[in-house]
Amino acid sequence: MNKLIVDKELLIENFIGQVTYNNKESILNIKGHCILCDYNSASDLVINLEANSSLNYYRLRNNPLNTKTIINHNKNSQCIFKEAILNKDNNFNYNINVNMDADNSSNNVYLRVVNEFGYLHIIANGNVSKDTKNNILLEDLRGLNFNDNKLIIEPNMQILSNSVEANHNVTISNVNKDDLFYLNSKGISDLEAIKLLKNGFILGIFPLEIKEEIKKIIE
Amino acid sequence: MLEIKNLNVVAENKEILRDFNLIINDSEIHVLMGRNGIGKSTICKVLLKDENYEIKNGNILYNGEDVTLLNTYEMANLGFYLVNQSPLAIEGVTTAEMLRASLLAKGDKTNILEFSKSLASVCEKLHLPKEYVHRDINVGMSGGERKKLELIHLWMLKPKFIILDELDSGLDVDALKLVSESLKEYYEMYKPSILIITHHPKILSSLTPDFVHILDEGKIVKTGDLNLALEVERNGYSNINKANLVSGQDKNE
């Protein structure tokens, strides 16, 4: 896979590959069509989508600390941002802000959080500016929370335009008991079944091409 | 041999089985019939130790060992296998991954190539594209495809005691024929014990039962052979001749 190292700010044009960051804060300016994979970076991100650009961003993080991600859209830009967070025992806050200040753009945020022991507060803000047209904004945020720990996920949308399709949903749950029974009934122990379900929860949002790589990392 | 003795089962504070007795010898095929909501599926769930069902009294013995307190995966690893009425879908976990984990749990050390080869041949047997086993479990599958996948699991895991909970529901005529023939082939090859829960005797044309039981008020109220199932289909449960009630246990013994 192609690899790209970002120092502080970088213009990325028509690139498919893995991206890593040298700094705590990084700025990506996206031009053309890009697919980026980011495994376990700790950087705050600002992603600026130029007009007529598209980005698929796949991010996996293990035990992260406080971070934020800002995605700014220009007209006719599309972004699919899929992120999975595995938290063992950290306490942290994470903010995702999507800003749509132009027309004909779409942004889909998919977030999967597995919290073993820790306190997580995640805020996903979606902002669509006044007088913009034909934008689509989706937030699909799900958490798998173990051991009665605290996991808060707040979906916020500030929609100031009438010409927009906006959806958000949040679910936070423990492992589904029916799923567990089904796997147990095939002879799989609780421990192994939970591992399968956890991996499935994380892997479910990623495309087939990178699933194996992600599986190796999380196992 | 499975022996269920004086079993009392409660779910959500409601008594579902009361003094339920049943003996299923090795390689026998038993059918359990009864009106909707009478507790037929409860037997399936109890045998696989679903936590939603509480055994208040009685024992379950398998090959002479008391298995009443075993948990679900221990029962599965003893060779019990349940084909659910409506197999659920699990996102993110593929059928192949699940089967690999199941076989590893049973101590099967078949290498990945052999595993893939057997899986492909079982898919062919059940006329299901082999790509299906690399999809998330039952996600986006029709009722019929789900049942066929359950049979793929069965062929791969080779259980000794099979419980079919309304296998025929959701299957069209052709799919039912294919599934029944596959089960018959499995039975002839491995001679498992089979407990069939059904409303329709159609499936019994391939798998001829040794005993047919009617369940009512938490226990078996009548036992017979295939003719009893045919009588139920002709006359319904309310018209069954109950003058000659024979307990399942007595008849079976």
Side-chain angles (χ1 to χ4, degrees), chain A residues 186-188 192, chain B residues 77 97-111 115 157:
Chain A
K186 307 290 178 190
I188 302 170
E192 282 300 313
Chain B
N77 285 326
E97 276 171 335
M98 182 196 71
L99 286 173
R100 192 92 182 118
S102 302
L103 288 168
L104 283 173
K106 285 175 194 298
D108 185 314
K109 293 194 173 82
T110 308
N111 70 44
F115 169 77
L157 301 176

Side-chain angles (χ1 to χ4, degrees), chain B residues 59-145:
Chain B
N59 295 89
I60 302 171
L61 305 176
Y62 186 59
N63 294 337
E65 297 284 321
D66 192 335
V67 296
T68 318
L69 297 178
L70 293 190
N71 61 32
T72 305
Y73 70 86
E74 287 168 332
M75 289 302 284
N77 285 326
L78 272 184
F80 281 73
Y81 182 81
L82 168 65
V83 178
N84 273 298
Q85 202 175 127
S86 323
L88 52 75
I90 302 181
E91 270 185 48
V93 184
T94 68
T95 296
E97 276 171 335
M98 182 196 71
L99 286 173
R100 192 92 182 118
S102 302
L103 288 168
L104 283 173
K106 285 175 194 298
D108 185 314
K109 293 194 173 82
T110 308
N111 70 44
I112 190 82
L113 283 177
E114 284 299 314
F115 169 77
S116 301
K117 229 161 98 181
S118 344
L119 204 47
S121 103
V122 174
C123 286
E124 201 179 323
K125 198 192 288 278
L126 282 151
H127 301 181
L128 209 58
K130 63 179 181 208
E131 295 77 32
Y132 275 38
V133 296
H134 299 293
R135 292 191 192 168
D136 292 353
I137 299 167
N138 294 330
V139 172
M141 312 256 178
S142 69
E145 287 167 342

Side-chain angles (χ1 to χ4, degrees), chain A:
Chain A
M1 186 183 266
N2 297 321
K3 286 193 178 171
L4 203 60
I5 298 168
V6 179
D7 269 333
K8 192 158 194 265
E9 182 168 1
L10 191 67
L11 172 69
I12 305 178
E13 188 174 353
N14 295 322
F15 178 81
I16 297 176
Q18 192 179 336
V19 62
T20 54
Y21 303 97
N22 281 341
N23 283 290
K24 177 77 184 80
E25 290 173 8
S26 309
I27 301 171
L28 305 182
N29 298 306
I30 303 297
K31 196 173 177 183
H33 305 288
C34 299
I35 300 175
L36 303 179
C37 302
D38 162 8
Y39 304 131
N40 222 15
S41 69
S43 184
D44 282 347
L45 292 181
V46 176
I47 299 170
N48 297 313
L49 287 127
E50 292 197 359
N52 305 310
S53 65
S54 78
L55 169 69
N56 285 21
Y57 196 105
Y58 304 116
R59 190 181 208 192
L60 171 75
R61 291 193 291 159
N62 250 319
N63 241 18
L65 295 168
N66 290 346
T67 39
K68 64 182 175 202
T69 299
I70 299 169
I71 303 171
N72 297 314
H73 279 266
N74 274 297
K75 67 177 179 182
N76 303 322
S77 57
Q78 271 90 45
C79 177
I80 294 174
F81 185 84
K82 295 188 170 185
E83 176 165 14
I85 296 173
L86 282 159
N87 187 49
K88 295 241 169 9
D89 48 15
N90 278 355
N91 298 334
F92 72 94
N93 297 316
Y94 178 41
N95 279 36
I96 306 176
N97 292 298
V98 176
N99 301 311
M100 306 185 90
D101 295 326
D103 299 339
N104 303 317
S105 295
S106 75
N107 186 288
N108 297 345
V109 172
Y110 298 88
L111 181 70
R112 299 291 181 268
V113 183
V114 174
N115 185 31
E116 303 259 11
F117 297 97
Y119 174 83
L120 277 77
H121 191 172
I122 293 163
I123 300 174
N125 293 316
N127 305 304
V128 181
S129 302
K130 201 175 167 188
D131 298 328
T132 55
K133 285 178 192 162
N134 301 326
N135 287 311
I136 297 170
L137 180 59
L138 167 79
E139 290 176 357
D140 178 2
L141 318 167
R142 300 188 199 177
L144 199 52
N145 195 38
F146 293 91
N147 306 308
D148 294 325
N149 287 291
K150 275 206 173 168
L151 171 59
I152 298 169
I153 304 177
E154 284 182 43
N156 296 317
M157 283 192 168
Q158 191 178 31
I159 311 289
L160 301 177
S161 162
N162 286 329
S163 172
V164 64
E165 189 184 316
N167 284 296
H168 64 181
N169 67 70
V170 174
T171 62
I172 299 176
S173 63
N174 203 318
V175 166
N176 182 314
K177 284 197 169 177
D178 291 337
D179 292 354
L180 195 56
F181 175 75
Y182 184 83
L183 295 178
N184 286 159
S185 77
K186 307 290 178 190
I188 302 170
S189 69
D190 281 357
L191 200 69
E192 282 300 313
I194 288 171
K195 192 171 136 193
L196 276 177
L197 291 169
K198 239 192 255 182
N199 288 357
F201 180 76
I202 294 287
L203 292 168
I205 57 168
F206 294 112
L208 198 59
E209 294 78 9
I210 59 169
K211 270 187 180 173
E212 274 308 309
E213 181 80 23
I214 289 182
K215 201 172 164 189
K216 272 185 216 158
I217 297 168
I218 60 182
E219 282 180 353

Side-chain angles (χ1 to χ4, degrees), chain B residues 13-222:
Chain B
N13 295 322
K14 193 180 158 197
E15 190 177 50
I16 301 178
L17 298 179
R18 190 187 313 143
D19 278 332
F20 182 90
N21 291 285
L22 180 64
I23 292 172
I24 300 180
N25 290 306
D26 290 349
S27 307
E28 278 182 356
I29 300 176
H30 287 235
V31 177
L32 196 56
M33 301 180 85
R35 293 191 307 268
N36 288 326
I38 211 78
K40 302 182 300 296
S41 294
T42 300
I43 291 291
C44 310
K45 298 290 175 69
V46 168
L47 286 174
L48 264 295
K49 309 301 173 62
D50 186 329
E51 281 180 357
N52 294 314
Y53 299 85
E54 190 187 348
I55 297 175
K56 286 283 186 188
N57 274 311
N59 295 89
I60 302 171
L61 305 176
Y62 186 59
N63 294 337
E65 297 284 321
D66 192 335
V67 296
T68 318
L69 297 178
L70 293 190
N71 61 32
T72 305
Y73 70 86
E74 287 168 332
M75 289 302 284
N77 285 326
L78 272 184
F80 281 73
Y81 182 81
L82 168 65
V83 178
N84 273 298
Q85 202 175 127
S86 323
L88 52 75
I90 302 181
E91 270 185 48
V93 184
T94 68
T95 296
E97 276 171 335
M98 182 196 71
L99 286 173
R100 192 92 182 118
S102 302
L103 288 168
L104 283 173
K106 285 175 194 298
D108 185 314
K109 293 194 173 82
T110 308
N111 70 44
I112 190 82
L113 283 177
E114 284 299 314
F115 169 77
S116 301
K117 229 161 98 181
S118 344
L119 204 47
S121 103
V122 174
C123 286
E124 201 179 323
K125 198 192 288 278
L126 282 151
H127 301 181
L128 209 58
K130 63 179 181 208
E131 295 77 32
Y132 275 38
V133 296
H134 299 293
R135 292 191 192 168
D136 292 353
I137 299 167
N138 294 330
V139 172
M141 312 256 178
S142 69
E145 287 167 342
R146 289 179 186 210
K147 294 282 170 74
K148 284 185 190 175
L149 270 168
E150 290 293 316
L151 283 209
I152 286 175
H153 305 169
L154 181 141
W155 276 98
M156 293 300 291
L157 301 176
K158 299 187 175 54
K160 295 178 201 146
F161 195 106
I162 301 168
I163 306 157
L164 305 172
D165 189 6
E166 295 191 26
L167 177 77
D168 37 13
S169 74
L171 288 179
D172 62 37
V173 180
D174 293 339
L176 180 59
K177 192 175 170 205
L178 180 74
V179 163
S180 308
E181 290 300 323
S182 175
L183 272 168
K184 188 181 175 190
E185 188 187 342
Y186 184 89
Y187 178 76
E188 282 166 359
M189 200 176 281
Y190 298 106
K191 295 285 176 200
S193 304
I194 304 181
L195 175 62
I196 302 172
I197 313 290
T198 187
H199 283 294
H200 311 288
K202 187 95 187 164
I203 191 173
L204 309 181
S205 56
S206 299
L207 292 166
T208 312
D210 297 293
F211 294 98
V212 174
H213 311 280
I214 306 295
L215 183 70
D216 197 11
E217 295 176 352
K219 60 175 79 171
I220 287 169
V221 294
K222 185 160 183 162

